[in-house]
Amino acid sequence: MKGIDTVAVLDFGSPSARLLARKIREARVFSEILPFDTPPEKLKALAPCGLVLAGGPEGTDHGAAPRCHPGIFQLGIPVLAIGYGMQLLLQEFGGKVRAAAAPEYGRATLKVENPEPLFMEFSGSTVEVWLNHGFQVEEPPPGFTVLAAAAHAPAAAVGNHEKRLYGLQFHPEVTRTPAGFSIISNFLYQVCRCRPGWTPEAFIERTVAEIKETAGGKRVLCALSGGVDSTVAAALVQRAVGAGLNCIFVDHGLLRKGEAERIRRFFQDEFPLNLVVVEAGERFLKRLRGITDPEEKRRVVGAEFIRVFEEEARKLGTVDFLVQGTLYPDVIESVTRDGTVKIKSHHNVGGLPPDLKFKLLEPFRLLFKDEVRVVGTKLGLPEEVVWRQPFPGPGLAVRVLGEVTPEKLALLREADSIVTREITAAGWYHKLWQAFAVLTETRSVGVRGGKRSYEHVLVVRAVTSEDAMSADWARLPYDLLDRIARRIINEVPGINRVVYDITAKPPGTIEWE
């Protein structure tokens, strides 16, 4: 982000990189995730005020373990190395690290021996942390001193004050250890001397100015789905280009029950925009006919979206830019590079056709979902829009397993509506990241009206999360799950069994496809 202090986070393939990036932003400093093998020249050009080496899934003794370029430590940039990153830092400067005899990962108590500068608030006290016992520091490098120790980790935190290099054997980004945020903040402000410039107000001001410079006086087309990301993006771009913004809402026939009409009313009555509504359900279903592979579904829906936009744009005249609500996790999950694996394509990242006729405007490409919600609130959007649960761009196409048909969509809409209504009535809607239904291809034997039935199995999925990069299954009350299952089976002919998904992310993903 131009004009504000930035901290670079090197990603070694662990979710900790995402968590660290978010924690840094919570401290009002912008963070950017970069590949572990980013060359020193690129880092120098970025001119970060600090560098964080995140954890990784392997130890440095693993032959295929990712390694950063040693030249990054010679740039004079302050470094905070965590877990696996600490092993790399210490070995680079002559320290000795070995695999622990009994690896552990969990809560531990640190005794602070040298509080300056990371443990300033904890002088002479103990600190609860989430310790990585996967390795043991046998000997810190010359010039490094021990800052804190634990029973099984005599050098749990080390530092070289002169070079501004620090290593932690614990994970300050873990939310279950509140002291971690203070340690991260001390690194940012005491070591890196960062200025707290990452605020929603500053983001809005800078982004509006950039959009004006890029697209001012030109016609801009917005892919409006009614979800949080595209709605906030439309509000932000409208502030920059005014009447130059034209929004297209495509009813692709893959929305939830009553959703198309709700979206239409909102953008015509409550938050007026230059809005074109395109009824394209039959078109999308025709393109999806016979397709069962989830990646192909996403590509087909993404490509067809663009074709619809291009057709509508020709009716409007010259259109120069296309606005999308792409988020940082979308980009991270869709990109494949050495040392990381693509999890899935997102329809607005991996699903775009190569012959795209527009230039893209993606104001949230470096933002997490929670940051977009805050921006939406600052822009004056109502709470029911800003706090709407995420919904995939391909819609119910990726919640109907196997081929997408009108009959399956009808079943899923009714069941999903029951899930949403019951969760809302029970006061759980805003406690969850997402809650939805998935229609499987599996059929099971049941009894309906005293007769044998052989009908679909439906999955109910509800998760808690902060940024969708990781998630846990929600511990919904048994009586709530019972009401959901009974209503679906009694009110939706064609479904005779309801199961509840208790898989976390990782190893699963939030969506089934």
Side-chain angles (χ1 to χ4, degrees), residues 12 57 59 326 487 503:
F12 291 90
T326 308
R487 283 197 60 190
T503 310

Side-chain angles (χ1 to χ4, degrees), residues 80-94:
L80 180 65
I82 296 166
Y84 175 78
M86 179 188 189
Q87 297 180 57
L88 292 175
L89 173 68
L90 299 191
Q91 289 178 344
E92 176 63 26
F93 285 89

Side-chain angles (χ1 to χ4, degrees), residues 36 58 105 115 155 171 181 302 356 410 418 440 475 507:
F36 67 87
E58 306 288 352
Y105 184 74
H171 292 265
F181 187 71
L356 186 67
I418 291 171
T440 73
R475 274 62 171 176

Side-chain angles (χ1 to χ4, degrees), residues 58 81 198 223 279 293 312 432 461-462 471 487:
E58 306 288 352
W198 182 244
E279 304 287 349
D293 179 72
E312 294 302 319
L432 302 173
R461 177 79 159 141
R487 283 197 60 190

